[in-house]
């Protein structure tokens, strides 16, 4: 898919060769005069990057543009081109940095751009890096495209398979990513991902309080994430052709055991716990008993899959990703055509403005 996207992008967007030095000088003079740089100028600058050194320089101008009156007009195709240039010239770290600092650089990529970046990390087997991108997909709630869901779940399962030592912030982020991506999949992968995601979030809730869960996250602020995890198990009992990963169930069981052992030292932060947090902690014995009951039901109904989450996701990837990519490529062609039409309109408007200014002189 990646090679196809590059070919489509290059064939449908004719190269507009520009001198980077002149563009940089133009932007510097414009900012010095307290005028805004147009989105077309910054787009031309990004489109003409041809080395890692130039990518480094471009980051400064993206920052300047974001903090200018025209900050809202950074075009989708410019963001897409920036990520592609970073990948092409070995500056993937710059793409990830600008993404992580999206407010400062205006980096809110489309699904195709997210996929390119995730795929790049996966090809290098940098699963932690891939999950860093997935975290941004989660924060922007951009799991609408099936290929993005599959790539994200693949990255998450691969990273978790390495048994990393996670901070509570990482548990919260991975949990939210698993849950939101899993909600889009009505199959064994989706339900297993939801279960594990909700359990990880529930662990944070019981140890740090509900405020720590939803602060700066696209999560609801209603207590009871462990209860929602158990509701997933209950739902699977009534679902045909859906099973839960045995590995995920074991992981959830470990989470409940750890919470039970640490129940006496619940408050691990300096922030006072709210009444809802205390009530949720008191439900822990009930959750543990309910988990045992539901697991027995799953066993009796043969609703447990012996495969790991990693294996389930890998199988789903092989079954569906190629078909998803074919649909994505067709849609990508249309998107690039729209981008090019919009760019040509801006060029025409720029030309008319210059002609008007020359006549008025």
């Amino acid at each position: 898919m990646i090679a196809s996207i590059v070919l489509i992008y290059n064939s449908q967007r004719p190269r507009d060769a520009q001198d980077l030095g002149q563009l940089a000088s133009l932007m510097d003079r414009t900012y010095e005069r307290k005028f805004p740089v147009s989105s077309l100028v910054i787009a031309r600058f990004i489109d003409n990057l041809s080395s890692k050194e130039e990518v480094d320089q471009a980051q400064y101008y993206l920052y300047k543009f974001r903090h200018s009156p025209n900050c809202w007009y950074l075009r989708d195709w410019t963001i897409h081109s920036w990520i592609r240039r970073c990948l092409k010239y070995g500056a993937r770290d710059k793409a990830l940095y600008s993404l992580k600092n999206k407010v400062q650089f205006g980096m809110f990529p489309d699904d195709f751009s997210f996929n390119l970046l995730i795929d790049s990390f996966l090809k290098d087997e940098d699963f932690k890096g891939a999950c860093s991108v997935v975290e941004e997909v989660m924060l922007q709630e951009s799991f609408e495209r099936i290929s993005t869901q599959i790539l994200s779940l693949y990255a998450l399962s691969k990273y978790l398979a390495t048994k990393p030592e996670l901070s509570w912030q990482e548990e919260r982020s991975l949990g939210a990513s698993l849950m939101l991506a899993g909600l889009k999949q009505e199959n064994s992968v989706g339900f297993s991902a939801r279960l594990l995601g909700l359990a990880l979030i529930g662990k944070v809730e019981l140890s740090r309080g509900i405020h720590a869960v939803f602060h700066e996250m696209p999560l609801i602020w209603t207590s009871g994430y462990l209860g929602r995890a158990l509701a997933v198990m209950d739902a699977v009992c009534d679902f045909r052709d859906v099973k839960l990963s045995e590995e995920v169930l074991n992981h959830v069981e470990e989470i409940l055991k750890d919470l039970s052992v640490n129940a006496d030292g619940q408050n691990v932060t300096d922030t006072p716990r709210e009444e809802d947090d205390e009530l949720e902690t008191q439900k822990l014995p009930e959750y543990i008993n309910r988990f045992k009951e539901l697991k027995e039901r799953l066993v009796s109904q043969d609703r447990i899959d012996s495969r790991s989450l990693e294996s389930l996701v890998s199988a789903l990837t092989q079954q569906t990703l190629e078909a998803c990519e074919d649909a994505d490529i067709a849609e990508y062609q249309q998107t690039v055509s729209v981008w090019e039409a919009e760019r040509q309109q801006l060029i025409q408007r720029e030309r008319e403005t210059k002609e008007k200014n020359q006549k008025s002189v």
Side-chain angles (χ1 to χ4, degrees), residues 25 42 50 80 82 130 133 239 245 248 287 300 328 342-343:
S25 179
I42 188 68
S50 59
H80 184 71
W82 163 249
V133 182
F239 243 89
S245 165
V248 168
Y287 287 149
S300 65
D328 280 356
E342 187 177 352
R343 189 174 74 94

Side-chain angles (χ1 to χ4, degrees), residues 88-105:
K88 182 176 181 179
Y89 297 112
R92 187 173 61 194
D93 59 322
K94 297 294 182 183
L96 185 58
Y97 179 81
S98 61
L99 186 60
K100 287 294 181 183
N101 294 276
K102 52 187 174 292
V103 175
Q104 298 300 320
F105 292 96

Side-chain angles (χ1 to χ4, degrees), residues 11-170:
S11 64
Q12 291 189 222
R13 289 204 62 199
R15 178 172 169 74
D16 181 14
Q18 299 278 338
D19 185 290
L20 275 187
Q22 291 181 3
L23 287 173
S25 179
L26 171 63
M27 288 190 286
D28 289 338
R29 292 197 311 271
T30 303
Y31 286 130
E32 286 172 5
R33 296 167 63 190
K34 308 298 182 183
F35 291 148
V37 166
S38 75
S39 63
L40 199 53
V41 171
I42 188 68
R44 285 170 176 155
F45 191 84
I46 299 300
D47 283 344
N48 282 274
L49 298 175
S50 59
S51 69
K52 189 174 186 299
E53 291 72 23
E54 291 173 354
V55 169
D56 293 343
Q57 182 186 16
Q59 198 168 39
Y60 164 77
Y61 287 106
L62 284 170
Y63 178 88
K64 290 284 289 183
F65 188 87
R66 178 61 174 175
H67 292 79
S68 74
N70 275 352
C71 61
W72 300 110
Y73 299 101
L74 186 65
R75 307 292 171 173
D76 287 345
W77 74 76
T78 304
I79 296 172
H80 184 71
S81 182
W82 163 249
I83 290 176
R84 289 182 65 249
R85 297 288 168 179
C86 288
L87 296 178
K88 182 176 181 179
Y89 297 112
R92 187 173 61 194
D93 59 322
K94 297 294 182 183
L96 185 58
Y97 179 81
S98 61
L99 186 60
K100 287 294 181 183
N101 294 276
K102 52 187 174 292
V103 175
Q104 298 300 320
F105 292 96
M107 284 294 126
F108 299 93
D110 63 284
D111 297 339
F112 299 114
S113 302
F114 273 131
N115 286 0
L116 284 173
L117 199 49
I118 295 172
D119 184 78
S120 174
F121 280 106
L122 290 177
K123 284 182 175 177
D124 290 343
E125 297 187 358
D126 183 353
F127 303 124
K128 185 175 182 178
C131 286
S132 293
V133 182
V134 174
E135 179 182 12
E136 294 304 315
V137 178
M138 175 270 294
L139 290 172
Q140 296 185 36
E141 300 182 73
S142 296
F143 287 117
E144 295 306 315
R145 192 171 298 280
I146 295 176
S147 56
T148 307
Q149 299 162 21
I150 299 299
L151 285 172
S152 297
L153 289 168
Y154 187 84
L156 291 164
S157 65
K158 285 289 185 181
Y159 180 53
L160 288 171
T162 65
K163 308 294 183 184
E165 290 289 331
L166 300 174
S167 65
W168 73 264
Q169 294 94 334
E170 289 171 325

Side-chain angles (χ1 to χ4, degrees), residues 157-193:
S157 65
K158 285 289 185 181
Y159 180 53
L160 288 171
T162 65
K163 308 294 183 184
E165 290 289 331
L166 300 174
S167 65
W168 73 264
Q169 294 94 334
E170 289 171 325
E171 288 180 329
R172 180 184 65 166
S173 173
L174 291 171
S177 299
L178 284 164
M179 183 194 72
L180 293 176
L183 283 170
K184 301 293 184 179
Q185 293 285 320
E186 294 293 322
N187 49 37
S188 297
V189 168
F191 279 89
S192 295

Side-chain angles (χ1 to χ4, degrees), residues 66-343:
R66 178 61 174 175
H67 292 79
S68 74
N70 275 352
C71 61
W72 300 110
Y73 299 101
L74 186 65
R75 307 292 171 173
D76 287 345
W77 74 76
T78 304
I79 296 172
H80 184 71
S81 182
W82 163 249
I83 290 176
R84 289 182 65 249
R85 297 288 168 179
C86 288
L87 296 178
K88 182 176 181 179
Y89 297 112
R92 187 173 61 194
D93 59 322
K94 297 294 182 183
L96 185 58
Y97 179 81
S98 61
L99 186 60
K100 287 294 181 183
N101 294 276
K102 52 187 174 292
V103 175
Q104 298 300 320
F105 292 96
M107 284 294 126
F108 299 93
D110 63 284
D111 297 339
F112 299 114
S113 302
F114 273 131
N115 286 0
L116 284 173
L117 199 49
I118 295 172
D119 184 78
S120 174
F121 280 106
L122 290 177
K123 284 182 175 177
D124 290 343
E125 297 187 358
D126 183 353
F127 303 124
K128 185 175 182 178
C131 286
S132 293
V133 182
V134 174
E135 179 182 12
E136 294 304 315
V137 178
M138 175 270 294
L139 290 172
Q140 296 185 36
E141 300 182 73
S142 296
F143 287 117
E144 295 306 315
R145 192 171 298 280
I146 295 176
S147 56
T148 307
Q149 299 162 21
I150 299 299
L151 285 172
S152 297
L153 289 168
Y154 187 84
L156 291 164
S157 65
K158 285 289 185 181
Y159 180 53
L160 288 171
T162 65
K163 308 294 183 184
E165 290 289 331
L166 300 174
S167 65
W168 73 264
Q169 294 94 334
E170 289 171 325
E171 288 180 329
R172 180 184 65 166
S173 173
L174 291 171
S177 299
L178 284 164
M179 183 194 72
L180 293 176
L183 283 170
K184 301 293 184 179
Q185 293 285 320
E186 294 293 322
N187 49 37
S188 297
V189 168
F191 279 89
S192 295
R194 284 179 230 175
L195 173 59
L196 181 55
L198 286 165
L200 287 169
I201 299 170
K203 179 181 178 182
V204 174
E205 180 187 355
L206 260 68
S207 60
R208 294 186 171 266
I210 189 63
H211 184 78
V213 168
F214 68 79
H215 181 62
E216 296 184 345
M217 296 287 284
L219 298 170
I220 61 173
W221 51 85
T222 307
S223 301
Y225 278 90
L226 282 177
R228 295 182 193 108
L230 297 179
V232 172
M233 296 174 65
D234 194 20
V236 171
C237 292
D238 300 323
F239 243 89
R240 290 185 178 181
D241 302 323
V242 171
K243 295 185 178 183
L244 290 174
S245 165
E246 184 176 14
E247 176 196 58
V248 168
L249 287 167
N250 291 339
H251 197 153
V252 175
E253 189 170 15
E254 285 299 317
I255 287 174
L256 292 171
K257 286 181 179 178
D258 290 345
L259 288 171
S260 179
V261 169
N262 297 325
D264 292 336
Q266 311 154 8
N267 192 10
V268 296
T269 70
D270 295 330
T271 305
R273 292 171 64 84
E274 299 180 4
E275 183 179 350
D276 286 347
D277 297 329
E278 297 294 346
L279 290 173
E280 190 64 19
T281 301
Q282 292 171 16
K283 293 179 182 178
L284 183 57
E286 177 187 336
Y287 287 149
I288 293 173
N289 290 332
R290 180 64 175 154
F291 173 83
K292 292 177 181 177
E293 293 172 4
L294 287 169
K295 188 174 181 181
E296 289 176 2
R297 280 182 63 192
L298 291 168
V299 171
S300 65
Q301 296 178 16
D302 191 28
R303 295 296 171 84
I304 297 179
D305 196 313
S306 60
R307 290 175 293 178
S308 65
L309 180 62
E310 179 188 13
S311 297
L312 286 172
V313 175
S314 295
L316 181 65
T317 302
Q318 292 177 352
Q319 294 167 8
T320 62
L321 190 57
E322 186 174 347
C324 293
E325 289 178 344
D326 290 340
D328 280 356
I329 288 170
E331 188 172 340
Y332 181 73
Q333 287 179 310
Q334 296 178 350
T335 300
V336 174
S337 296
V338 171
W339 285 347
E340 182 58 19
E342 187 177 352
R343 189 174 74 94

